[in-house]
Amino acid sequence: MLGPMAVAEPENTARRRPPRVDAIRNREAIVEAAAEVLAEQGVAVDVREIARRSGVGMGTLYRHFPKKEDLVHTVLRRDFAKWAESARQAAIEAEDPWAALTTFYRQALTGYARHRAIMENFALTWADPDLEGIHQLRLVIEQLRARAGAMGLLRPGVTTDDLLLLLVSLGHAVQITDECRPQLWNRLLRISLDGLRADHSAPLPTDLAR
Amino acid sequence: MLGPMAVAEPENTARRRPPRVDAIRNREAIVEAAAEVLAEQGVAVDVREIARRSGVGMGTLYRHFPKKEDLVHTVLRRDFAKWAESARQAAIEAEDPWAALTTFYRQALTGYARHRAIMENFALTWADPDLEGIHQLRLVIEQLRARAGAMGLLRPGVTTDDLLLLLVSLGHAVQITDECRPQLWNRLLRISLDGLRADHSAPLPTDLAR
Amino acid sequence: MLGPMAVAEPENTARRRPPRVDAIRNREAIVEAAAEVLAEQGVAVDVREIARRSGVGMGTLYRHFPKKEDLVHTVLRRDFAKWAESARQAAIEAEDPWAALTTFYRQALTGYARHRAIMENFALTWADPDLEGIHQLRLVIEQLRARAGAMGLLRPGVTTDDLLLLLVSLGHAVQITDECRPQLWNRLLRISLDGLRADHSAPLPTDLAR
Amino acid sequence: MLGPMAVAEPENTARRRPPRVDAIRNREAIVEAAAEVLAEQGVAVDVREIARRSGVGMGTLYRHFPKKEDLVHTVLRRDFAKWAESARQAAIEAEDPWAALTTFYRQALTGYARHRAIMENFALTWADPDLEGIHQLRLVIEQLRARAGAMGLLRPGVTTDDLLLLLVSLGHAVQITDECRPQLWNRLLRISLDGLRADHSAPLPTDLAR
DNA sequence: TATGAATGAGGGTTCATTCAT
DNA sequence: TATGAATGAACCCTCATTCAT
């Protein structure tokens, strides 16, 4: 495919970039540990705890992420993306638009909704259309809504914001039921989805947006 | 009602300087200020801020509430009770069981759901049956559920826990929409309530409680 | 002069201000210790060192001075003022305008020129006319210059800025000779002052100010 | 001059990869970059900044200079020497001993007096007769003093230390006027030099050296 | 008793120096 | 050997809680 260059180039790169494999490994260890800790404890964690769990010194952590915020954002971006993707995949495999919607929620709420930092951030930024991670999620929801709406399955007037807010809202339910009643949220989900069906034709209240 | 005691007691106290009335006044000022601040900022507030707003010194505050937690709990008990009561009152005035239920939610979500500390604590303790404030809320919900259920208005299988969790969940939605989309949660409420109607007969998933 | 109020007032004040004598003492201890340390080591000192020397905890220090900068500025203001005042006093007592000028320099260089933080700050801000401490010094110099100039004792064209810069410059000399040749700067002073005499009529180079 | 060694040595080194030329080049790059940075920012610079500007890694830098101090000293030696030399050259070209002296100061203050690290170090070490760089400077001054003294141009009693201290002192003036009043120091220089003239016969104060 | 000053354990961050690649 | 990643002590600052007045 590439000819001689294909040979030369890697060599070249190898020369100038003494493959800092372990740096990458460290970076990943940091992100991994941070993700773990952030999922468990939210953004209020001590940076030292992350360093400890990832087995690196403070300096290493700060070399890779000059501010705590940078690390947090990196983790959030990553995990939001993973989250959106996993829920999207689940939705894709569904048989029909309604199943896609329900599967999406089920998957979304099963996986990352236990992630404390994700949910904290989601609560703060769900309305900000520019944030990468949330944007992906919103896109998925937008598609699901369009598909279900086109088939006349969805209650008229339901917006993407409604569906997104429902996700935040149920996500919170997941968090707080996680330890004592791990599946209780499922019932709420069922209830909400039923309330979203097209057979409810009563108009939803306007919210005088903004 | 009290007889001689009513006379003796004040005298006694009067001797030792401030006839306890001050203490009570202080305590109330502290609780009031704390409630205000906790509602605005959640439990992470600086204790100094509470002392400042209540006009008492740190020493006085800590005399009445040896731990920050004690003060927080006191406020939460009080405000949970107020919350439950105001929502109960609203429900009572409703014309029929279903209106009672919807009015209850509307009232509950309109008033105290903006109280940050209340919602933080609700999330942590909603499942603890012993906590006074939540217990009252639960009782109200229990009654509403019973009434609506008796009339066959409520979807079969809906439990008090479902309704309580719905409250937490929507309460969270209220918080996060408060600044940018102040009434968006109303739509979610409508959807959920519709999902709770008896015309949805599909069984709710069990949650293998505990 | 005051009548009964003179009696009442102190009582009043005593009531509302449980004379936090020790707080004041602490504040002074902090400032004193800070002045000492800043004089010895310059502004780069560790705040803990100041706390340690003043015998208070970090919290106390930060209660009185929310930022390290605040403490540093407080000390600098105080010491600049002391410095200007002591040099002014010395100058006042001199017999004639020229003696006033020389005495001023001698005094100024003898006292605070060993103060590292003072000199660091002086070097940075000597040209800023708004800084309190420096302003006082400049005023004194301005007067001395005017008096000596009026008597025709001062070399024509000498400005207040010249004299101020000479002070910074010789102050630096004091600092660097302090440990090994404690009075060497005196010779430099003598030389400079002689160069300032009116018998040098050659014009000074312009500096195209600004 | 060296015979066989001159041949053998390179060969030897050549076998083990980089024929030391690289090392020398690196070393020079480091020193060059360090000089630049030290001149701009003084000794408080981050070592990384030096590594960055010189284009070498930290390891290389520390291989050549095991301590930051070592590198700093190397640069200072080099730049002190350059400084002394340039001022000496200027002085040599002067027409008479007095012009030599004034030219020396003017040159010295024009060139390297803006070099922050040089001046920082000069302040610390001016009195240490063993330090190479300063020693050279001192020698130049010694000669200038001798020449001007022999001609009876210099105020009696002026020592080399006086002249050296004057240089430090005015060097500081250069630094602090550099940004706001770039030539103001020139006036101070003129004043000081006039104070050094032989027509001032009043004896300078002794400083009871050590 | 009420006051608010004092305490000090952490929390985020930097940087000279070492070490694996 | 050159690279730049890793280390960790030390820095500035906050806040729940205690204590002298």
Side-chain angles (χ1 to χ4, degrees):
Chain A
M1 179 184 173
L2 285 175
M5 279 296 287
V7 177
E9 227 261 311
E11 257 186 331
N12 238 348
T13 333
R15 248 174 227 152
R16 0 194 109 183
R17 312 226 171 155
R20 49 224 193 166
V21 214
D22 59 336
I24 291 171
R25 206 170 291 157
N26 262 335
R27 193 192 154 94
E28 275 162 11
I30 292 168
V31 172
E32 209 60 57
E36 209 179 284
V37 178
L38 287 169
E40 283 168 28
Q41 317 189 31
V43 298
V45 274
D46 187 339
V47 182
R48 282 167 171 85
E49 171 66 15
I50 299 175
R52 218 171 296 134
R53 277 218 217 174
S54 51
V56 306
M58 290 296 295
T60 304
L61 195 155
Y62 273 87
R63 155 182 281 276
H64 289 287
F65 304 96
K67 300 275 169 197
K68 179 187 180 182
E69 214 191 352
D70 299 332
L71 174 53
V72 171
H73 280 11
T74 300
V75 169
L76 289 178
R77 260 197 304 280
R78 188 194 78 152
D79 288 356
F80 259 116
K82 281 193 192 176
W83 189 22
E85 182 51 22
S86 72
R88 196 178 65 82
Q89 276 302 337
I92 282 175
E93 292 158 12
E95 297 179 357
D96 62 86
W98 189 258
L101 192 67
T102 61
T103 304
F104 167 80
Y105 275 107
R106 198 149 5 244
Q107 172 66 25
L109 293 169
T110 300
Y112 287 81
R114 272 170 202 84
H115 193 305
R116 288 193 48 178
I118 282 278
M119 291 308 296
E120 283 169 12
N121 191 249
F122 202 7
L124 291 173
T125 57
W126 70 277
D128 186 336
D130 294 339
L131 277 144
E132 187 49 24
I134 282 139
H135 186 56
Q136 296 175 39
L137 220 39
R138 187 186 289 272
L139 285 182
V140 180
I141 291 177
E142 173 58 33
Q143 291 181 357
L144 293 168
R145 189 186 70 84
R147 281 176 61 200
M151 302 277 290
L153 300 173
L154 200 60
R155 179 173 188 153
V158 168
T159 66
T160 298
D161 277 355
D162 292 330
L163 297 177
L164 196 56
L165 183 58
L166 178 60
L167 183 60
V168 187
S169 183
L170 291 175
H172 190 236
V174 170
Q175 294 235 327
I176 71 179
T177 55
D178 192 35
E179 291 203 334
C180 53
R181 303 282 297 275
Q183 290 296 317
L184 189 54
W185 60 266
N186 242 320
R187 300 165 57 87
L188 228 51
L189 171 58
R190 182 63 190 262
I191 290 167
S192 306
L193 288 174
D194 283 340
L196 282 172
R197 283 182 196 278
D199 47 322
H200 293 285
S201 53
L204 294 170
T206 59
D207 77 309
L208 317 170
R210 292 228 163 232
Chain B
M1 181 184 174
L2 285 177
M5 281 290 287
V7 177
E9 230 258 311
E11 255 187 317
N12 236 349
T13 344
R15 251 171 227 153
R16 313 193 201 152
R17 293 302 188 70
R20 181 170 284 183
V21 189
D22 275 30
I24 291 172
R25 205 169 292 159
N26 267 339
R27 193 189 155 94
E28 276 164 9
I30 293 167
V31 171
E32 204 62 54
E36 212 177 281
V37 178
L38 287 169
E40 283 168 28
Q41 317 190 32
V43 298
V45 275
D46 191 329
V47 181
R48 281 152 219 265
E49 174 65 15
I50 299 175
R52 217 172 294 135
R53 281 216 214 174
S54 55
V56 306
M58 293 292 290
T60 306
L61 195 157
Y62 270 85
R63 163 175 302 280
H64 288 286
F65 305 95
K67 298 271 169 198
K68 180 186 181 181
E69 215 192 351
D70 301 331
L71 173 54
V72 170
H73 279 14
T74 300
V75 168
L76 290 177
R77 260 197 303 281
R78 190 193 78 151
D79 288 355
F80 260 118
K82 282 192 191 175
W83 188 22
E85 183 50 23
S86 74
R88 196 179 64 81
Q89 277 300 336
I92 281 175
E93 292 159 12
E95 296 179 358
D96 62 85
W98 188 256
L101 192 67
T102 61
T103 304
F104 166 81
Y105 274 108
R106 193 140 17 236
Q107 170 68 23
L109 293 169
T110 300
Y112 286 80
R114 271 171 202 84
H115 191 305
R116 291 191 47 176
I118 282 277
M119 292 308 298
E120 284 169 12
N121 190 248
F122 201 7
L124 292 173
T125 57
W126 70 278
D128 187 335
D130 294 339
L131 275 147
E132 188 48 24
I134 283 147
H135 186 55
Q136 295 175 40
L137 217 41
R138 186 185 291 272
L139 285 182
V140 179
I141 290 176
E142 172 57 33
Q143 290 181 358
L144 293 168
R145 189 188 68 85
R147 280 176 62 200
M151 301 278 290
L153 302 172
L154 201 60
R155 176 173 190 153
V158 168
T159 66
T160 298
D161 276 355
D162 291 331
L163 296 177
L164 196 56
L165 183 58
L166 177 60
L167 182 59
V168 187
S169 183
L170 290 174
H172 190 237
V174 170
Q175 295 236 326
I176 71 178
T177 55
D178 194 33
E179 292 203 335
C180 54
R181 303 282 298 272
Q183 291 295 318
L184 190 55
W185 59 266
N186 242 321
R187 299 164 60 85
L188 229 51
L189 171 58
R190 182 64 190 262
I191 291 167
S192 306
L193 287 174
D194 284 340
L196 283 172
R197 284 182 196 278
D199 47 322
H200 293 284
S201 53
L204 294 169
T206 57
D207 76 307
L208 316 169
R210 289 236 164 225
Chain C
M1 179 184 173
L2 286 176
M5 279 296 285
V7 177
E9 227 260 311
E11 258 187 330
N12 239 347
T13 332
R15 247 175 228 153
R16 0 194 108 180
R17 314 227 169 151
R20 51 231 191 159
V21 215
D22 59 335
I24 291 171
R25 205 170 292 157
N26 262 333
R27 192 191 154 93
E28 275 162 12
I30 292 168
V31 171
E32 209 60 58
E36 213 178 282
V37 179
L38 287 168
E40 284 169 28
Q41 317 190 32
V43 299
V45 274
D46 187 338
V47 181
R48 279 170 172 84
E49 172 65 14
I50 299 175
R52 218 171 295 136
R53 277 217 217 176
S54 51
V56 306
M58 292 294 296
T60 303
L61 196 155
Y62 273 89
R63 155 182 281 276
H64 290 287
F65 304 96
K67 301 272 168 200
K68 178 187 180 181
E69 213 191 353
D70 300 331
L71 174 53
V72 170
H73 279 12
T74 300
V75 169
L76 289 178
R77 259 197 303 282
R78 189 193 77 152
D79 288 355
F80 259 116
K82 281 192 190 176
W83 188 23
E85 182 51 23
S86 73
R88 196 180 64 84
Q89 276 301 335
I92 282 175
E93 292 158 13
E95 296 178 359
D96 61 85
W98 189 258
L101 193 67
T102 62
T103 305
F104 167 82
Y105 275 107
R106 192 141 19 238
Q107 172 66 24
L109 294 169
T110 300
Y112 287 81
R114 272 170 201 85
H115 193 304
R116 290 192 46 177
I118 282 278
M119 291 307 297
E120 282 169 13
N121 192 248
F122 202 7
L124 291 173
T125 57
W126 71 276
D128 185 337
D130 294 339
L131 278 145
E132 187 48 24
I134 282 140
H135 186 56
Q136 296 176 40
L137 220 39
R138 186 185 290 272
L139 284 181
V140 180
I141 291 177
E142 172 59 32
Q143 289 181 359
L144 293 168
R145 189 187 69 87
R147 282 177 62 200
M151 301 278 291
L153 302 173
L154 201 60
R155 176 173 191 154
V158 168
T159 66
T160 299
D161 276 353
D162 291 332
L163 297 177
L164 195 55
L165 183 58
L166 177 60
L167 183 59
V168 187
S169 183
L170 291 175
H172 191 236
V174 170
Q175 293 236 326
I176 72 178
T177 55
D178 192 35
E179 292 202 335
C180 53
R181 303 280 298 275
Q183 291 295 319
L184 189 54
W185 60 266
N186 241 322
R187 300 164 58 84
L188 227 51
L189 171 59
R190 183 63 190 263
I191 291 166
S192 306
L193 287 173
D194 283 339
L196 283 172
R197 283 182 197 278
D199 47 320
H200 293 287
S201 53
L204 293 169
T206 58
D207 76 309
L208 315 171
R210 291 220 163 239
Chain D
M1 181 184 173
L2 284 176
M5 281 291 287
V7 176
E9 231 253 313
E11 253 188 319
N12 237 346
T13 343
R15 251 172 226 152
R16 315 195 200 148
R17 293 301 187 71
R20 180 169 285 182
V21 190
D22 275 28
I24 290 172
R25 205 170 292 160
N26 267 340
R27 192 189 155 94
E28 276 164 10
I30 293 167
V31 171
E32 205 61 56
E36 210 178 282
V37 177
L38 287 169
E40 283 168 27
Q41 318 190 30
V43 298
V45 276
D46 191 331
V47 181
R48 283 152 217 265
E49 174 65 15
I50 299 174
R52 217 171 297 137
R53 281 216 216 173
S54 55
V56 307
M58 293 293 290
T60 306
L61 194 155
Y62 270 85
R63 162 174 303 279
H64 289 285
F65 306 95
K67 298 272 169 198
K68 180 184 180 181
E69 215 191 351
D70 299 331
L71 173 54
V72 171
H73 279 13
T74 300
V75 169
L76 290 177
R77 258 197 305 279
R78 189 193 77 152
D79 288 355
F80 260 117
K82 282 192 191 174
W83 189 22
E85 182 50 23
S86 73
R88 195 178 65 82
Q89 277 300 338
I92 282 175
E93 293 158 13
E95 296 178 359
D96 62 85
W98 189 257
L101 192 67
T102 61
T103 303
F104 166 82
Y105 274 108
R106 198 148 5 243
Q107 171 68 23
L109 293 169
T110 300
Y112 287 79
R114 272 171 201 85
H115 192 305
R116 291 192 47 176
I118 282 278
M119 291 309 298
E120 284 168 12
N121 190 249
F122 200 6
L124 292 172
T125 57
W126 71 277
D128 186 335
D130 295 339
L131 275 146
E132 187 49 24
I134 284 146
H135 186 56
Q136 296 175 42
L137 217 41
R138 186 186 291 272
L139 285 182
V140 179
I141 290 176
E142 172 57 33
Q143 290 181 0
L144 293 168
R145 189 188 68 85
R147 281 176 62 201
M151 301 278 291
L153 301 172
L154 201 60
R155 178 175 189 149
V158 168
T159 65
T160 298
D161 276 354
D162 292 331
L163 297 177
L164 194 56
L165 183 57
L166 177 60
L167 183 58
V168 187
S169 184
L170 291 175
H172 191 236
V174 170
Q175 294 237 326
I176 71 179
T177 55
D178 194 34
E179 292 204 335
C180 53
R181 303 281 298 273
Q183 291 295 319
L184 190 54
W185 61 266
N186 242 322
R187 299 163 60 86
L188 228 51
L189 171 58
R190 183 63 190 262
I191 290 167
S192 306
L193 288 174
D194 282 340
L196 283 171
R197 283 182 195 279
D199 47 322
H200 293 285
S201 53
L204 293 169
T206 58
D207 76 309
L208 315 171
R210 285 253 162 209

